[in-house]
Amino acid sequence: KQDEDQLIIDAGQKQFGAMACSSCGMVYSADNPDDNFQHTQFHQRFFDSIKFVGWKKERVVAEFWDGKIILVLPDDRKYAIKKAEDVRCIVDNELGFQQVALSRPTQAKTYLYINTEHMVVGCLVAEPLRQAYRVLEQPDQHKDMTKDDFMERHRAWCCSTIPEQALCGISRIWVFSLARRQGIATRMLDTVRSTFMYGSHLTKEEIAFSDPTPDGRLFATKYCNT
Ligand code: ACO
Ligand code: ZN
């Protein structure tokens, strides 16, 4: 009996103190020692994964005042592949993907945005496509829904059923939480369009987003209409 009561109290506290770390995004309870420990570990792993020390050979495809974009290709050196994979793990974890394999790993191109503090603050994985489905405009009447509701209800039909010619599929796009709304995703996509296919510049219509999240839809809708 006593144990049961204790459990309930613990569960209540856990809910009460739940918070999300603003940099690694993990939701945990600050007053629970186990949770705190797990957060510390995850937080460390997160920052290890996005730390970028610099490589002897870097394929820099764009440079900006606040950073640069490097491209990692499937045949690159092991250290480059490893970094791209580590970052992709962080991204997949945040997107809630569970070990989703790349659809065509031998052709996937990973773009990493490196800021001036040597951190990977953006990641974009692009893959060649034959056809795709256009992302539909987001209906306005659902503004009051929570993010989760929105995901549940809209994931399935977020794309039109008419296949269109698209040449490049964006299977993942992610920007570090503290670096969002600074145009990093926009600049990564612009860079993909000019470098994905050698010798040609892709139009916005030739780019397709796979299975977008609510954030992804808002961004994609804005990007494609401007
Ligand atoms: N809410 C509303 N509008 C948005 C949002 C948002 N969350 N994000 C972008 N936009 C729109 C805005 O109009 C913005 O311009 P503004 O800031 O001048 O208003 C415009 O898009 C350009 O935004 P950027 O600054 O270029 O986008 P950012 O660098 O912040 O990255 C991204 C956007 C990648 C979606 C980021 O929010 C993120 O990483 N989210 C979490 C991961 C995620 O959901 N990724 C998409 C998965 S879908 C897929 O991978 C295919
Ligand atoms: Zn954290």
PDB file of all heavy atoms in Angstrom, residues 90-113:
ATOM      1  N   ILE A  90      21.000  12.420 -34.562  1.00  0.00           N
ATOM      2  CA  ILE A  90      20.422  13.493 -33.736  1.00  0.00           C
ATOM      3  C   ILE A  90      19.128  14.004 -34.376  1.00  0.00           C
ATOM      4  O   ILE A  90      18.106  14.185 -33.718  1.00  0.00           O
ATOM      5  CB  ILE A  90      21.444  14.660 -33.640  1.00  0.00           C
ATOM      6  CG1 ILE A  90      22.648  14.269 -32.802  1.00  0.00           C
ATOM      7  CG2 ILE A  90      20.809  15.946 -33.153  1.00  0.00           C
ATOM      8  CD1 ILE A  90      22.335  14.172 -31.327  1.00  0.00           C
ATOM      9  N   VAL A  91      19.199  14.207 -35.683  1.00  0.00           N
ATOM     10  CA  VAL A  91      18.050  14.718 -36.429  1.00  0.00           C
ATOM     11  C   VAL A  91      16.899  13.708 -36.382  1.00  0.00           C
ATOM     12  O   VAL A  91      15.765  14.056 -36.063  1.00  0.00           O
ATOM     13  CB  VAL A  91      18.443  15.016 -37.892  1.00  0.00           C
ATOM     14  CG1 VAL A  91      17.218  15.387 -38.721  1.00  0.00           C
ATOM     15  CG2 VAL A  91      19.491  16.117 -37.950  1.00  0.00           C
ATOM     16  N   ASP A  92      17.194  12.457 -36.673  1.00  0.00           N
ATOM     17  CA  ASP A  92      16.153  11.429 -36.679  1.00  0.00           C
ATOM     18  C   ASP A  92      15.516  11.293 -35.313  1.00  0.00           C
ATOM     19  O   ASP A  92      14.311  11.099 -35.186  1.00  0.00           O
ATOM     20  CB  ASP A  92      16.732  10.084 -37.128  1.00  0.00           C
ATOM     21  CG  ASP A  92      16.947  10.053 -38.631  1.00  0.00           C
ATOM     22  OD1 ASP A  92      16.656  11.080 -39.282  1.00  0.00           O
ATOM     23  OD2 ASP A  92      17.396   9.022 -39.154  1.00  0.00           O
ATOM     24  N   ASN A  93      16.328  11.405 -34.292  1.00  0.00           N
ATOM     25  CA  ASN A  93      15.823  11.333 -32.932  1.00  0.00           C
ATOM     26  C   ASN A  93      14.829  12.473 -32.676  1.00  0.00           C
ATOM     27  O   ASN A  93      13.745  12.261 -32.157  1.00  0.00           O
ATOM     28  CB  ASN A  93      17.011  11.421 -31.966  1.00  0.00           C
ATOM     29  CG  ASN A  93      16.573  11.294 -30.535  1.00  0.00           C
ATOM     30  OD1 ASN A  93      16.079  10.249 -30.134  1.00  0.00           O
ATOM     31  ND2 ASN A  93      16.715  12.356 -29.773  1.00  0.00           N
ATOM     32  N   GLU A  94      15.191  13.667 -33.119  1.00  0.00           N
ATOM     33  CA  GLU A  94      14.303  14.807 -32.913  1.00  0.00           C
ATOM     34  C   GLU A  94      13.033  14.704 -33.759  1.00  0.00           C
ATOM     35  O   GLU A  94      11.955  15.107 -33.343  1.00  0.00           O
ATOM     36  CB  GLU A  94      15.043  16.112 -33.225  1.00  0.00           C
ATOM     37  CG  GLU A  94      14.240  17.321 -32.796  1.00  0.00           C
ATOM     38  CD  GLU A  94      15.002  18.636 -32.912  1.00  0.00           C
ATOM     39  OE1 GLU A  94      16.236  18.630 -32.742  1.00  0.00           O
ATOM     40  OE2 GLU A  94      14.332  19.648 -33.175  1.00  0.00           O
ATOM     41  N   LEU A  95      13.163  14.148 -34.947  1.00  0.00           N
ATOM     42  CA  LEU A  95      12.001  14.014 -35.826  1.00  0.00           C
ATOM     43  C   LEU A  95      11.139  12.820 -35.442  1.00  0.00           C
ATOM     44  O   LEU A  95      10.068  12.620 -35.994  1.00  0.00           O
ATOM     45  CB  LEU A  95      12.442  13.871 -37.288  1.00  0.00           C
ATOM     46  CG  LEU A  95      13.137  15.085 -37.919  1.00  0.00           C
ATOM     47  CD1 LEU A  95      13.508  14.792 -39.347  1.00  0.00           C
ATOM     48  CD2 LEU A  95      12.237  16.310 -37.849  1.00  0.00           C
ATOM     49  N   GLY A  96      11.650  11.998 -34.513  1.00  0.00           N
ATOM     50  CA  GLY A  96      10.906  10.821 -34.104  1.00  0.00           C
ATOM     51  C   GLY A  96      10.998   9.675 -35.107  1.00  0.00           C
ATOM     52  O   GLY A  96      10.217   8.735 -35.058  1.00  0.00           O
ATOM     53  N   PHE A  97      11.941   9.765 -36.025  1.00  0.00           N
ATOM     54  CA  PHE A  97      12.173   8.654 -36.956  1.00  0.00           C
ATOM     55  C   PHE A  97      12.899   7.567 -36.196  1.00  0.00           C
ATOM     56  O   PHE A  97      13.833   7.857 -35.463  1.00  0.00           O
ATOM     57  CB  PHE A  97      13.103   9.077 -38.101  1.00  0.00           C
ATOM     58  CG  PHE A  97      12.495  10.011 -39.092  1.00  0.00           C
ATOM     59  CD1 PHE A  97      11.210  10.501 -38.926  1.00  0.00           C
ATOM     60  CD2 PHE A  97      13.225  10.412 -40.206  1.00  0.00           C
ATOM     61  CE1 PHE A  97      10.672  11.373 -39.852  1.00  0.00           C
ATOM     62  CE2 PHE A  97      12.685  11.284 -41.136  1.00  0.00           C
ATOM     63  CZ  PHE A  97      11.414  11.770 -40.957  1.00  0.00           C
ATOM     64  N   GLN A  98      12.472   6.343 -36.377  1.00  0.00           N
ATOM     65  CA  GLN A  98      13.220   5.270 -35.747  1.00  0.00           C
ATOM     66  C   GLN A  98      14.015   4.487 -36.776  1.00  0.00           C
ATOM     67  O   GLN A  98      13.472   3.685 -37.519  1.00  0.00           O
ATOM     68  CB  GLN A  98      12.305   4.355 -34.944  1.00  0.00           C
ATOM     69  CG  GLN A  98      12.307   4.759 -33.478  1.00  0.00           C
ATOM     70  CD  GLN A  98      10.932   4.675 -32.882  1.00  0.00           C
ATOM     71  OE1 GLN A  98      10.147   3.821 -33.244  1.00  0.00           O
ATOM     72  NE2 GLN A  98      10.630   5.567 -31.966  1.00  0.00           N
ATOM     73  N   GLN A  99      15.272   4.799 -36.825  1.00  0.00           N
ATOM     74  CA  GLN A  99      16.189   4.140 -37.744  1.00  0.00           C
ATOM     75  C   GLN A  99      15.602   3.995 -39.142  1.00  0.00           C
ATOM     76  O   GLN A  99      15.505   2.905 -39.679  1.00  0.00           O
ATOM     77  CB  GLN A  99      16.570   2.757 -37.209  1.00  0.00           C
ATOM     78  CG  GLN A  99      17.434   2.854 -35.983  1.00  0.00           C
ATOM     79  CD  GLN A  99      17.583   1.517 -35.299  1.00  0.00           C
ATOM     80  OE1 GLN A  99      16.625   0.758 -35.166  1.00  0.00           O
ATOM     81  NE2 GLN A  99      18.778   1.216 -34.874  1.00  0.00           N
ATOM     82  N   VAL A 100      15.163   5.100 -39.683  1.00  0.00           N
ATOM     83  CA  VAL A 100      14.676   5.080 -41.046  1.00  0.00           C
ATOM     84  C   VAL A 100      15.885   5.078 -41.966  1.00  0.00           C
ATOM     85  O   VAL A 100      16.704   5.988 -41.922  1.00  0.00           O
ATOM     86  CB  VAL A 100      13.797   6.317 -41.356  1.00  0.00           C
ATOM     87  CG1 VAL A 100      13.308   6.294 -42.787  1.00  0.00           C
ATOM     88  CG2 VAL A 100      12.624   6.370 -40.403  1.00  0.00           C
ATOM     89  N   ALA A 101      15.994   4.037 -42.749  1.00  0.00           N
ATOM     90  CA  ALA A 101      17.127   3.960 -43.659  1.00  0.00           C
ATOM     91  C   ALA A 101      16.923   4.969 -44.783  1.00  0.00           C
ATOM     92  O   ALA A 101      15.791   5.334 -45.106  1.00  0.00           O
ATOM     93  CB  ALA A 101      17.231   2.555 -44.228  1.00  0.00           C
ATOM     94  N   LEU A 102      18.003   5.434 -45.330  1.00  0.00           N
ATOM     95  CA  LEU A 102      17.892   6.302 -46.493  1.00  0.00           C
ATOM     96  C   LEU A 102      17.367   5.446 -47.634  1.00  0.00           C
ATOM     97  O   LEU A 102      17.702   4.269 -47.742  1.00  0.00           O
ATOM     98  CB  LEU A 102      19.264   6.868 -46.858  1.00  0.00           C
ATOM     99  CG  LEU A 102      19.865   7.794 -45.806  1.00  0.00           C
ATOM    100  CD1 LEU A 102      21.301   8.123 -46.145  1.00  0.00           C
ATOM    101  CD2 LEU A 102      19.030   9.054 -45.701  1.00  0.00           C
ATOM    102  N   SER A 103      16.507   6.042 -48.491  1.00  0.00           N
ATOM    103  CA  SER A 103      15.920   5.206 -49.525  1.00  0.00           C
ATOM    104  C   SER A 103      16.958   4.790 -50.570  1.00  0.00           C
ATOM    105  O   SER A 103      16.895   3.705 -51.112  1.00  0.00           O
ATOM    106  CB  SER A 103      14.715   5.886 -50.155  1.00  0.00           C
ATOM    107  OG  SER A 103      15.087   7.117 -50.699  1.00  0.00           O
ATOM    108  N   ARG A 104      17.909   5.674 -50.840  1.00  0.00           N
ATOM    109  CA  ARG A 104      18.978   5.293 -51.770  1.00  0.00           C
ATOM    110  C   ARG A 104      20.313   5.790 -51.214  1.00  0.00           C
ATOM    111  O   ARG A 104      20.843   6.797 -51.684  1.00  0.00           O
ATOM    112  CB  ARG A 104      18.690   5.887 -53.147  1.00  0.00           C
ATOM    113  CG  ARG A 104      17.380   5.334 -53.716  1.00  0.00           C
ATOM    114  CD  ARG A 104      16.830   6.219 -54.787  1.00  0.00           C
ATOM    115  NE  ARG A 104      17.374   5.852 -56.097  1.00  0.00           N
ATOM    116  CZ  ARG A 104      17.078   6.519 -57.205  1.00  0.00           C
ATOM    117  NH1 ARG A 104      16.295   7.561 -57.163  1.00  0.00           N
ATOM    118  NH2 ARG A 104      17.598   6.129 -58.356  1.00  0.00           N
ATOM    119  N   PRO A 105      20.835   5.062 -50.203  1.00  0.00           N
ATOM    120  CA  PRO A 105      22.012   5.563 -49.485  1.00  0.00           C
ATOM    121  C   PRO A 105      23.219   5.843 -50.383  1.00  0.00           C
ATOM    122  O   PRO A 105      24.002   6.750 -50.105  1.00  0.00           O
ATOM    123  CB  PRO A 105      22.324   4.453 -48.479  1.00  0.00           C
ATOM    124  CG  PRO A 105      21.518   3.290 -48.878  1.00  0.00           C
ATOM    125  CD  PRO A 105      20.370   3.773 -49.696  1.00  0.00           C
ATOM    126  N   THR A 106      23.349   5.110 -51.466  1.00  0.00           N
ATOM    127  CA  THR A 106      24.529   5.335 -52.304  1.00  0.00           C
ATOM    128  C   THR A 106      24.424   6.625 -53.102  1.00  0.00           C
ATOM    129  O   THR A 106      25.379   7.050 -53.723  1.00  0.00           O
ATOM    130  CB  THR A 106      24.745   4.169 -53.278  1.00  0.00           C
ATOM    131  OG1 THR A 106      23.540   4.033 -54.054  1.00  0.00           O
ATOM    132  CG2 THR A 106      25.023   2.876 -52.538  1.00  0.00           C
ATOM    133  N   GLN A 107      23.237   7.237 -53.098  1.00  0.00           N
ATOM    134  CA  GLN A 107      23.087   8.477 -53.855  1.00  0.00           C
ATOM    135  C   GLN A 107      22.719   9.665 -52.988  1.00  0.00           C
ATOM    136  O   GLN A 107      22.491  10.753 -53.493  1.00  0.00           O
ATOM    137  CB  GLN A 107      22.013   8.286 -54.924  1.00  0.00           C
ATOM    138  CG  GLN A 107      22.419   7.237 -55.933  1.00  0.00           C
ATOM    139  CD  GLN A 107      21.376   7.094 -57.027  1.00  0.00           C
ATOM    140  OE1 GLN A 107      21.178   8.004 -57.821  1.00  0.00           O
ATOM    141  NE2 GLN A 107      20.700   5.976 -57.025  1.00  0.00           N
ATOM    142  N   ALA A 108      22.630   9.435 -51.680  1.00  0.00           N
ATOM    143  CA  ALA A 108      22.235  10.519 -50.780  1.00  0.00           C
ATOM    144  C   ALA A 108      23.368  11.534 -50.637  1.00  0.00           C
ATOM    145  O   ALA A 108      24.536  11.176 -50.553  1.00  0.00           O
ATOM    146  CB  ALA A 108      21.866   9.953 -49.418  1.00  0.00           C
ATOM    147  N   LYS A 109      22.981  12.802 -50.622  1.00  0.00           N
ATOM    148  CA  LYS A 109      23.955  13.869 -50.415  1.00  0.00           C
ATOM    149  C   LYS A 109      23.601  14.589 -49.131  1.00  0.00           C
ATOM    150  O   LYS A 109      22.465  15.009 -48.954  1.00  0.00           O
ATOM    151  CB  LYS A 109      23.934  14.848 -51.587  1.00  0.00           C
ATOM    152  CG  LYS A 109      24.328  14.171 -52.894  1.00  0.00           C
ATOM    153  CD  LYS A 109      24.397  15.112 -54.057  1.00  0.00           C
ATOM    154  CE  LYS A 109      24.799  14.305 -55.298  1.00  0.00           C
ATOM    155  NZ  LYS A 109      24.943  15.136 -56.488  1.00  0.00           N
ATOM    156  N   THR A 110      24.578  14.698 -48.233  1.00  0.00           N
ATOM    157  CA  THR A 110      24.326  15.358 -46.944  1.00  0.00           C
ATOM    158  C   THR A 110      24.979  16.734 -46.928  1.00  0.00           C
ATOM    159  O   THR A 110      26.177  16.849 -47.158  1.00  0.00           O
ATOM    160  CB  THR A 110      24.879  14.506 -45.786  1.00  0.00           C
ATOM    161  OG1 THR A 110      24.331  13.183 -45.880  1.00  0.00           O
ATOM    162  CG2 THR A 110      24.519  15.095 -44.430  1.00  0.00           C
ATOM    163  N   TYR A 111      24.167  17.746 -46.660  1.00  0.00           N
ATOM    164  CA  TYR A 111      24.667  19.114 -46.557  1.00  0.00           C
ATOM    165  C   TYR A 111      24.691  19.504 -45.087  1.00  0.00           C
ATOM    166  O   TYR A 111      23.683  19.367 -44.397  1.00  0.00           O
ATOM    167  CB  TYR A 111      23.745  20.077 -47.319  1.00  0.00           C
ATOM    168  CG  TYR A 111      23.752  19.876 -48.816  1.00  0.00           C
ATOM    169  CD1 TYR A 111      23.022  18.838 -49.406  1.00  0.00           C
ATOM    170  CD2 TYR A 111      24.484  20.719 -49.658  1.00  0.00           C
ATOM    171  CE1 TYR A 111      23.032  18.651 -50.787  1.00  0.00           C
ATOM    172  CE2 TYR A 111      24.501  20.539 -51.036  1.00  0.00           C
ATOM    173  CZ  TYR A 111      23.774  19.511 -51.592  1.00  0.00           C
ATOM    174  OH  TYR A 111      23.786  19.322 -52.952  1.00  0.00           O
ATOM    175  N   LEU A 112      25.850  19.943 -44.615  1.00  0.00           N
ATOM    176  CA  LEU A 112      25.977  20.347 -43.214  1.00  0.00           C
ATOM    177  C   LEU A 112      26.286  21.839 -43.138  1.00  0.00           C
ATOM    178  O   LEU A 112      27.192  22.323 -43.821  1.00  0.00           O
ATOM    179  CB  LEU A 112      27.101  19.550 -42.529  1.00  0.00           C
ATOM    180  CG  LEU A 112      26.963  18.022 -42.505  1.00  0.00           C
ATOM    181  CD1 LEU A 112      28.203  17.377 -41.881  1.00  0.00           C
ATOM    182  CD2 LEU A 112      25.708  17.596 -41.738  1.00  0.00           C
ATOM    183  N   TYR A 113      25.520  22.553 -42.322  1.00  0.00           N
ATOM    184  CA  TYR A 113      25.784  23.973 -42.113  1.00  0.00           C
ATOM    185  C   TYR A 113      26.661  24.104 -40.875  1.00  0.00           C
ATOM    186  O   TYR A 113      26.265  23.718 -39.778  1.00  0.00           O
ATOM    187  CB  TYR A 113      24.469  24.745 -41.925  1.00  0.00           C
ATOM    188  CG  TYR A 113      24.646  26.228 -42.137  1.00  0.00           C
ATOM    189  CD1 TYR A 113      24.208  26.831 -43.302  1.00  0.00           C
ATOM    190  CD2 TYR A 113      25.295  27.015 -41.180  1.00  0.00           C
ATOM    191  CE1 TYR A 113      24.398  28.191 -43.517  1.00  0.00           C
ATOM    192  CE2 TYR A 113      25.491  28.369 -41.391  1.00  0.00           C
ATOM    193  CZ  TYR A 113      25.041  28.950 -42.565  1.00  0.00           C
ATOM    194  OH  TYR A 113      25.249  30.288 -42.787  1.00  0.00           O
TER     195      TYR A 113
END
